[in-house]
Amino acid sequence: MNAPSAAPEASTAGAPPRAEGRPARGQRQFRELGVLLAVAILIFATWLYNPGFLSSQGVHDLFLGATVLSVLAVGQALVLITRNVDLSVGSVMGLSAFGTGILFVTFPGLPVPVVMLAGVLIGLVCGLLNGLLVTTARVPALVVTLGTLYAYRGLNHWWADGGQVNAHDMPDAFLLLGSFSVLGVPLPAAIAIAVVAAVGFYLARYRSGRELYAIGSNADAARLSGIPAARRVALAFAANGALAGLAGVLFAARYGTVDSTVGTGMELQVVAAAVVGGVAIAGGVGTVYGAALGAVLLTTITAALPIWQINQFWHQAVVGALILAAIGLDRLLALRTARKLRGGGARGA
Amino acid sequence: MDPAEVPPPLALVDVTKSFGSVRALRGLSLELRSGEIHAMVGENGAGKSTLVKVIAGVHRPDGGQVLVDGRPTEFAAPVDAQRAGVAVIYQEPTLFPDLSVAENIFVGRQPRTRLRTIDRGRMRRDTEEVFTRLGVHMDPDRPARGLSIADQQLVEIAKALTRQARVLVMDEPTAALSGVEAERLFTVARTLRDSGAALLFISHRFDEVFSLCDRITVVRDGAFVSCDPTTELDVDTVVRRMVGRDVSSLYPKEDAEHGETVLEVDGLTRHGVFADVSFEVRAGEIVALAGLVGAGRSEVIRAVFGVDRYDAGTVRVEGRPLPPGRPKAAMDAGVALVPEDRRQQGLVMESSIERNATATRRGPLSRLGLLRRRTERDSAREWGERLNLKFGGLTDSVSTLSGGNQQKVVLAKWLSTEPRVLFVDEPTRGIDVGTKAEVHRLLSTLAGQGLAIVMVSSELPEVLGMADRVLVMHEGRVTAELDRDEADEESVMYAATGQRPSEAA
């Protein structure tokens, strides 16, 4: 550590600026492009096999299918980047979906936007509670959100009391939301795209967004740098909750029928989507664009398998293999980057 | 020079701080004046780094005051210190590996556009500008991951510079820098001083301290010793003030018969960490590895034991070569290692005393592959008694024990393997004085029974009080080998700082 290495080059001053420019950033972009490419190839190949896959109805279904998962993956990415995880998103989404439905039943006169906002708020409160538990009780997020996963679901069951809300209980304006299209893009998908763009811009361009990366990258250094880490993490959880709430609202609008089991098991798909999209479980790395693309890839696989006449039973195995491939790729890229950086740095360690 | 007229930007008055039973600071006062570079020197463990953390707002002092411009101020968090204009460069760089170099420099205070988004262009330009001032070329957009320690340190320095701090604290900033880089840092430090900043410079390199600093404060055992203008001091005086302590009953060293050579280390080298380290240890002998923190002492014994790899050299125990990189082989050959950090490396903190104490002998204590609780407990009890361990119950977790008693559990764990060679790394760090003496007595007794002991210690009195022979390391090399009667504070300190008495005088 202290001894000069065997042959230290004179100093940093001697190192020429790197020709390739920004190796690591380039690698990261490559990572997201890779997922995009995988989606494109999959869609193209499936279309060749059966052109019906890209009929206007097929495209519509594809978009809608990816919507809920993408919104959830974007939220999860926020939390994962701070080196935490939120396993309760499936339950939060379910709670919000049911809450939205029951509001229409209980107060039929409420304007649609108000009810939608209430659905998002339900998620926000759940997420904030997660965040506060994680930051104040200093219990690992994995444990806290595993607990709230069951707690929120239990709450939902108690609230629903075995009942469900049907499409005819909801106003037409709300249900139209799920089927309305702008230039071939279903409205929910447009909302999801807007969310991805907004959160992506926030993470890249705002101090507090960059600080989420800093916290996930080195929590101690974040503290020494005066970053209010607890507040930032709590807010990341709250934002994730709000997005899970939004996902619940979109779910209710699309399917019209909600009971207390909506979103069960969703949390693992969400984490899988984020990881496939290049968001590191260890924190500090990844973008919401990647997470959303990961969600799109997973839903495209789900949609494509029946067309290839592959048994649905294979679905989970394919997803599993994809996660392993993504992790392997990340590790490979990390090693390559490390080698490049060492070689290109001022001098050997 | 009249401090009464303009209050100093930062002053500490009678600051105390304890960690458990260890008193790290006992009434330390320090005054940093504008337009002055102030040096703080002291042995390892004298409380320098704790003081830095008080100034930085990381630790809150138990007593005493922090004065900013003469007004008492509480730094509850690092951000408070930063607002008061204090910037700190820590001994260990604290960077974000996943963020770019520019973001590391400006984290939390990135330049912003009117829309409150980060102005990346300006951030990059500002980074390039500060690097130009420092005379380094580094791509602002590359991530901090993979930077060498020296480059990381440069990023830290750039960070402090862009804060335009009124008070800049540098805790051994040059430890990892080459001569050219250090010289450049000093130029910047002088520029800052001339523009009216107050600087605190902590270093073990006396040449740097004397050429750079205007005043020198000496601290010892967490207390203030002296503060004088550099012109009125010389290296010898400073060294004497740093150590001057009586080495008394704390070190009950008995004379032991020295037997045959048990351990031979020859030409041990790990590139960039230590080079060409050779020594022998005989049965019944205590050899101390002295030197400053980071000199490579722990790394050497870790390599000998096989925890770390090494690039060249041989290790022999009782004449037989030890295969590199295999701790199990070392244990079988009768080598034991009591590591530096008992919480991280020596113990399973949540596990019981008996589990920990017998962790090295799961094989001999089990039958048919199953651990037998009874034998485990009996063995743990026996060793507990032999080491005078103070505990509630053997099934209590070791985290309930005091530091000294935890250390005894680690010792029990290794002594019960009946080693021929015992490595102990900082055996009494963070231990109260009474237990310290007990550990020393134990080591002395063990040597008397013919155990060969290699002790790494940063505490000079411990080295001088316990060792038959002292090997001093400086920057990865053995710079002196001193017999018990040759070794004194000054000779060890000179060798540890890479100085020679003649040079300094």
Side-chain angles (χ1 to χ4, degrees):
Chain A
M1 183 172 112
N2 48 349
S5 54
E9 286 161 34
S11 79
T12 33
R18 293 183 53 71
E20 297 97 313
R22 301 146 209 171
R25 186 164 295 178
Q27 298 272 353
R28 295 310 314 173
Q29 278 165 358
F30 170 76
R31 181 69 176 73
E32 276 117 31
L33 281 177
V35 183
L36 187 63
L37 199 67
V39 174
I41 291 173
L42 184 62
I43 292 178
F44 185 68
T46 314
W47 173 73
L48 279 186
Y49 189 80
N50 181 351
F53 185 60
L54 285 192
S55 66
S56 75
Q57 187 58 39
V59 173
H60 190 87
D61 288 349
L62 210 56
F63 266 124
L64 276 181
T67 301
V68 167
L69 193 59
S70 309
V71 172
L72 288 174
V74 167
Q76 190 69 250
L78 280 173
V79 173
L80 286 175
I81 283 168
T82 65
R83 200 168 188 170
N84 283 292
V85 68
D86 186 350
L87 292 182
S88 71
V89 284
S91 300
V92 174
M93 171 189 156
L95 206 55
S96 148
F98 189 79
T100 309
I102 210 80
L103 272 177
F104 282 126
V105 175
T106 327
F107 307 102
L110 274 184
V112 172
V114 172
V115 176
M116 291 175 67
L117 199 66
V120 174
L121 272 177
I122 291 175
L124 181 78
V125 170
C126 292
L128 190 63
L129 188 64
N130 281 334
L132 292 178
L133 282 173
V134 169
T135 50
T136 53
R138 302 203 176 199
V139 179
L142 189 80
V143 184
V144 167
T145 58
L146 188 64
T148 53
L149 184 163
Y150 288 105
Y152 293 153
R153 182 64 65 192
L155 191 66
N156 201 349
H157 287 316
W158 170 78
W159 196 6
D161 197 18
Q164 66 176 40
V165 180
N166 297 309
H168 61 75
D169 296 321
M170 300 192 191
D172 292 340
F174 183 64
L175 296 173
L176 193 64
L177 203 82
S179 49
F180 187 71
S181 289
V182 198
L183 305 169
V185 179
L187 193 57
I191 293 175
I193 291 170
V195 163
V196 173
V199 177
F201 186 75
Y202 163 76
L203 275 182
R205 290 304 186 89
Y206 281 85
R207 280 187 189 170
S208 47
R210 297 309 296 169
E211 284 170 10
L212 293 182
Y213 285 93
I215 292 163
S217 193
N218 185 346
D220 288 335
R223 207 168 50 92
L224 289 178
S225 308
I227 294 173
R231 202 159 72 210
R232 294 272 178 275
V233 170
L235 283 178
F237 271 98
N240 179 34
L243 288 174
L246 177 65
V249 173
L250 294 175
F251 183 96
R254 182 182 170 204
Y255 293 100
T257 307
V258 285
D259 60 15
S260 62
T261 61
V262 170
T264 304
M266 204 68 174
E267 53 282 340
L268 294 185
Q269 280 187 58
V270 174
V271 175
V275 170
V276 166
V279 181
I281 286 279
V285 176
T287 61
V288 292
Y289 311 117
L293 282 172
V296 171
L297 180 59
L298 290 194
T299 29
T300 311
I301 290 172
T302 315
L305 284 181
I307 293 183
W308 290 91
Q309 286 161 342
I310 296 171
N311 193 321
Q312 280 289 325
F313 290 124
W314 283 102
H315 178 220
Q316 297 199 344
V318 171
V319 173
L322 202 64
I323 293 171
L324 292 180
I327 292 168
L329 183 69
D330 281 341
R331 184 76 196 126
L332 208 69
L333 286 180
L335 287 177
R336 263 189 56 185
T337 312
R339 229 185 354 259
K340 261 184 153 176
L341 287 177
R342 254 204 305 282
R347 60 180 194 187
Chain B
M1 274 306 260
D2 190 355
E5 283 176 24
V6 185
L10 189 86
L12 302 181
V13 184
D14 252 348
V15 168
T16 58
K17 177 78 191 169
S18 299
F19 299 99
S21 59
V22 181
R23 293 171 68 195
L25 298 178
R26 30 182 121 196
L28 228 163
S29 300
L30 187 70
E31 195 182 275
L32 304 179
R33 297 175 193 160
S34 291
E36 190 178 78
I37 304 179
H38 194 124
M40 183 160 65
V41 294
E43 280 184 274
N44 294 328
K48 294 173 306 217
S49 291
T50 309
L51 186 82
V52 168
K53 288 192 172 153
V54 168
I55 296 178
V58 176
H59 293 327
R60 297 177 85 160
D62 299 333
Q65 278 186 321
V66 179
L67 303 178
V68 176
D69 294 323
R71 282 187 305 278
T73 311
E74 287 242 343
F75 291 161
V79 70
D80 296 335
Q82 283 164 21
R83 286 213 187 97
V86 178
V88 178
I89 300 170
Y90 296 96
Q91 216 169 343
E92 299 285 325
T94 52
L95 298 185
F96 304 102
D98 300 306
L99 299 190
S100 74
V101 164
E103 284 193 294
N104 264 289
I105 291 173
F106 286 100
V107 70
R109 54 194 179 94
Q110 295 97 333
R112 292 194 285 199
T113 62
R114 268 175 303 140
L115 299 169
R116 298 179 66 80
T117 60
I118 295 170
D119 189 341
R120 289 187 188 160
R122 218 182 103 204
M123 189 163 77
R124 189 174 308 133
R125 279 195 304 280
D126 290 354
T127 305
E128 275 162 0
E129 191 189 298
V130 67
F131 279 153
T132 313
R133 260 173 85 191
L134 281 169
V136 291
H137 291 284
M138 211 188 296
D139 180 0
D141 288 324
R142 67 158 286 164
R145 190 182 297 286
L147 287 177
S148 70
I149 298 279
D151 287 343
Q152 290 182 40
Q153 201 62 270
L154 287 169
V155 174
E156 290 284 351
I157 291 163
K159 201 195 281 186
L161 282 184
T162 54
R163 280 187 195 282
Q164 289 166 349
R166 298 190 303 138
V167 179
L168 177 61
V169 179
M170 298 184 280
D171 191 358
E172 296 199 45
T174 56
L177 299 188
S178 72
V180 187
E181 290 160 339
E183 204 42 61
R184 216 175 277 138
L185 172 64
F186 297 153
T187 312
V188 175
R190 287 189 187 103
T191 316
L192 283 175
R193 170 187 62 189
D194 297 341
S195 66
L199 287 85
L200 178 64
F201 181 74
I202 296 171
S203 176
H204 282 296
R205 298 186 181 170
F206 291 120
D207 49 344
E208 293 174 359
V209 167
F210 276 85
S211 68
L212 183 67
C213 302
D214 304 303
R215 275 192 306 156
I216 300 177
T217 291
V218 181
V219 293
R220 188 171 66 218
D221 294 337
F224 175 86
V225 175
S226 70
C227 176
D228 296 291
T230 309
T231 45
E232 295 169 18
L233 289 169
D234 57 49
V235 174
D236 287 318
T237 316
V238 172
V239 168
R240 225 174 295 126
R241 287 182 183 169
M242 277 166 66
V243 289
R245 220 179 344 188
D246 62 325
V247 182
S248 56
S249 60
L250 249 177
Y251 309 102
K253 173 79 176 96
E254 298 162 14
D255 282 327
E257 289 276 308
H258 295 172
E260 292 168 13
T261 301
V262 184
L263 176 75
E264 293 162 82
V265 175
D266 189 33
L268 207 66
T269 299
R270 182 173 179 186
H271 297 313
V273 184
F274 52 83
D276 199 20
V277 174
S278 305
F279 60 93
E280 294 182 354
V281 188
R282 294 192 290 170
E285 195 180 27
I286 300 181
V287 172
L289 273 178
L292 302 172
V293 170
R297 300 164 300 163
S298 302
E299 287 77 2
V300 167
I301 65 170
R302 283 169 61 89
V304 170
F305 190 64
V307 186
D308 293 343
R309 59 178 182 81
Y310 49 87
D311 299 314
T314 53
V315 177
R316 286 167 186 278
V317 176
E318 296 182 310
R320 277 188 301 276
L322 213 57
R326 288 180 51 202
K328 185 81 182 88
M331 282 169 68
D332 290 343
V335 184
L337 170 71
V338 175
E340 181 177 11
D341 184 345
R342 58 180 168 268
R343 292 175 155 269
Q344 296 285 336
Q345 298 164 5
L347 293 168
V348 183
M349 295 303 289
E350 293 78 23
S351 204
S352 69
I353 297 170
E354 53 187 20
R355 271 286 144 79
N356 271 291
T358 57
T360 47
R361 287 178 303 141
R362 295 219 183 85
L365 288 183
S366 55
R367 181 179 283 174
L368 300 172
L370 294 176
L371 267 176
R372 290 186 304 162
R373 269 211 99 118
R374 266 266 298 286
T375 36
E376 209 179 38
R377 178 161 307 166
D378 291 346
S379 164
R381 175 162 298 127
E382 182 199 326
W383 278 99
E385 279 164 17
R386 281 174 69 176
L387 299 188
N388 198 10
L389 187 71
K390 292 180 187 66
F391 58 95
L394 281 171
T395 49
D396 292 354
S397 79
V398 285
S399 57
T400 61
L401 297 178
S402 71
N405 282 303
Q406 285 176 6
Q407 188 69 313
K408 287 186 194 169
V409 174
V410 187
L411 280 166
K413 161 178 151 182
W414 285 107
L415 292 177
S416 62
T417 62
E418 289 168 6
R420 304 296 319 275
V421 185
L422 176 69
F423 289 104
V424 283
D425 198 348
E426 303 286 2
T428 60
R429 174 178 291 173
I431 290 181
D432 62 281
V433 179
T435 320
K436 238 178 195 175
E438 254 180 85
V439 170
H440 290 146
R441 196 167 303 121
L442 179 71
L443 291 176
S444 182
T445 314
L446 289 166
Q449 291 163 358
L451 188 67
I453 298 178
V454 181
M455 175 179 79
V456 171
S457 175
S458 298
E459 288 189 39
L460 260 182
E462 181 170 275
V463 167
L464 299 172
M466 295 303 298
D468 294 301
R469 226 158 12 105
V470 183
L471 294 172
V472 190
M473 287 187 70
H474 171 67
E475 302 200 337
R477 285 174 187 280
V478 175
T479 46
E481 182 167 353
L482 306 162
D483 276 330
R484 189 174 173 77
D485 40 353
E486 287 177 295
D488 55 30
E489 284 100 342
E490 287 168 35
S491 60
V492 174
M493 210 60 208
Y494 280 126
T497 48
Q499 306 256 327
R500 271 172 200 79
S502 53
E503 244 175 56

